[in-house]
Amino acid sequence: MSLKSRIALLSVFVSAGLLVAPASQAAETTVDGRTVDPRPSTGKLAFELHKLALLSHGKIRVSGIGRSNEGRPVWAARVGHGKTRIQYVTQQHGDEPLGTPAALEFLRKVGVEHGAWQRDLLSKVTVDIVVRANPDGHERDWRYNHDPDATPEYGEKGKGYDINRYHDPAVAPKDNPATEAGLIQRRNASFNPDIMVDYHMQGRYRDADGKEITASTLWPTHPGVKPSDVDFAKQIAVVVQRSIDGNGGYVSQYPGGDYQGIARNGYGLLGNGSVLIELSLIPEREQQQIQDALASMLAIAKTAADGSVRKVDPAKADAIPPRGPALPGTVEEAYEAA
C-alpha cells in the first residue's frame, strides 16, 4: 500500500472514531507507561497496523493474506530483513485475544522505535506476524471461525471450525475446510520460517504447591517430528519460560496432545521450531499478561538474532513444571486443549 493510500485509510478510521478506546479498558499500565487495549475491534486493529506501518517509515510492511468466511481481512505484518525467519500467529481462537495487542506492541517496539539494538535485530531476523487469525470468532467472542454449514470433526456443527485443528501438512490449503487455517498454511509456506510461535489463552491453573500459573508452553509432541526439530522447539520454550518468569510471570508445561492438525505439531512436522504459548485468563493481571507475551516475542527474536537460542540445553524444557489443577471456581472448560 502506498503512503498516500495509508494516509487516506487512516483518515477514514479517524473519522469513524476508531481511535477511541473501549470504556471497559483496564486502568493499569503495561508498556512504556501506556494502557494497551486488550481487545481492539476489527476496525481499530486495521487502523493500528497501518498507523504503525506509516510511523515505521517502511520498516513494517502490512498486507492482507486473505479474508475470513464473513469477508473480514486477515492481516499480516512483517518487519526486519535478516536471514533468520520467525513467524508469530495470534488469536486463532477468537475468544483468546491477548496475543494480538502484544503483537502490536512488538511491532511498535522493534519497528517504530529507533535504537541501535532495533537496527541490529532487524538486520539479523525477519519477523512475520499473522495478527488475529480469526476475526469472525473475535466478533462473536467464541473459539471457532464462522461457518453455519460446518459439520466439523473439530469444532461445532452450525457454528464453525476450530482453526487450530486444521494444520495437517497432508491437507493442502485449497482443500482445508477451515478457511483461516488455510490462510496460515499458505503464509507459512511462502515465508518458510525457522521458528513458528502460536499464541493462545487458557483458564486459571496452579502448580502442585498451589502457586498460580500465568502462562504455559509446549513443543511438538507428534512422534513424526524430527528429534532435532523437537530439541530446537524445546530450546525456544526455555527462552519463553525465562522471559516470562523474568518479567514476573510463572510458566508451566502445557498438557497438549499429539494430533498432527494442531499448529504446534503441524508446523513442527514441516521443520519449524514450533512452540505454543498459552496466556492464562487472569482479569486482574490482563495488562501484565500482554507485557509477558511481548517479553516472550522480544526474547525469541533477540536470542534467534544472536544465536544464543541454539546454545540452550533442550533438556531444561523437561524441567519446566507441569500445569496442575484448575483454580477452584474458575471456568477452564471455556479454554479447551490447544
Side-chain angles (χ1 to χ4, degrees):
M1 184 181 288
S2 69
L3 177 61
K4 185 176 180 180
S5 298
R6 283 202 175 100
I7 292 171
L9 180 62
L10 293 176
S11 298
V12 169
F13 287 140
V14 171
S15 299
L18 294 172
L19 282 176
V20 179
S24 60
Q25 185 169 305
E28 57 181 322
T29 58
T30 176
V31 181
D32 300 329
R34 292 179 300 101
T35 302
V36 172
D37 185 349
R39 295 167 182 80
S41 69
T42 297
K44 185 175 181 182
L45 177 62
F47 170 81
E48 292 293 341
L49 284 169
H50 288 90
K51 181 177 75 172
L52 290 169
L54 190 64
L55 294 173
S56 76
H57 300 288
K59 291 199 295 292
I60 298 171
R61 291 89 72 191
V62 175
S63 60
I65 64 171
R67 290 188 175 271
S68 68
N69 283 339
E70 289 194 305
R72 295 183 175 91
V74 177
W75 297 106
R78 190 170 293 180
V79 64
H81 51 276
K83 180 180 178 180
T84 300
R85 302 169 81 79
I86 302 167
Q87 186 171 55
Y88 298 139
V89 174
T90 75
Q91 214 172 341
Q92 285 202 70
H93 295 147
D95 58 354
E96 300 176 9
L98 297 187
T100 294
L104 292 175
E105 294 306 311
F106 175 86
L107 292 167
R108 187 188 315 279
K109 200 76 177 172
V110 305
V112 175
E113 295 184 14
H114 302 285
W117 75 263
Q118 283 98 338
R119 289 191 296 273
D120 182 64
L121 179 73
L122 298 183
S123 72
K124 294 177 179 175
V125 301
T126 303
V127 182
D128 187 82
I129 310 178
V130 179
V131 190
R132 184 175 289 157
N134 184 4
D136 294 352
H138 171 82
E139 290 293 321
R140 288 167 173 76
D141 193 29
W142 73 28
R143 180 179 180 90
Y144 313 116
N145 74 352
H146 177 66
D147 188 342
D149 297 324
T151 55
E153 181 180 4
Y154 298 97
E156 188 170 334
K157 184 177 180 179
K159 287 182 70 173
Y161 291 88
D162 184 333
I163 296 172
N164 196 32
R165 296 297 181 274
Y166 290 88
H167 298 277
D168 185 345
V171 178
K174 66 182 178 63
D175 299 322
N176 197 322
T179 299
E180 297 82 359
L183 298 180
I184 298 169
Q185 286 182 305
R186 288 188 182 93
R187 187 71 172 186
N188 181 274
S190 65
F191 185 57
N192 192 25
D194 302 288
I195 294 170
M196 197 279 197
V197 185
D198 187 24
Y199 283 83
H200 286 262
M201 291 182 67
Q202 62 184 359
R204 298 182 73 165
Y205 297 89
R206 56 187 174 179
D207 69 5
D209 297 323
K211 182 178 178 181
E212 183 160 10
I213 289 157
T214 68
S216 300
T217 189
L218 192 62
W219 43 90
T221 54
H222 187 281
V225 180
K226 292 180 182 178
S228 60
D229 292 330
V230 174
D231 281 348
F232 184 36
K234 284 185 171 184
Q235 290 172 316
I236 298 163
V238 173
V239 169
V240 169
Q241 180 201 28
R242 290 172 177 173
S243 63
I244 294 178
D245 285 3
N247 204 50
Y250 180 42
V251 174
S252 78
Q253 284 190 48
Y254 186 80
D258 61 3
Y259 175 59
Q260 69 268 22
I262 296 171
R264 166 177 52 82
N265 292 320
Y267 297 110
L269 286 165
L270 290 172
N272 296 184
S274 182
V275 172
L276 166 74
I277 297 177
E278 295 266 354
L279 306 167
S280 298
L281 176 65
I282 308 174
E284 65 271 21
R285 199 181 189 273
E286 199 165 61
Q287 292 286 307
Q288 184 64 39
Q289 295 293 81
I290 297 169
Q291 185 171 321
D292 287 355
L294 170 62
S296 70
M297 291 177 177
L298 289 169
I300 292 165
K302 288 178 178 179
T303 58
D306 66 16
S308 60
V309 65
R310 293 284 191 175
K311 298 176 183 177
V312 173
D313 181 358
K316 291 186 180 296
D318 298 313
I320 297 174
R323 196 185 74 178
L327 261 66
T330 59
V331 190
E332 81 284 356
E333 291 84 5
Y335 292 85
E336 300 167 2

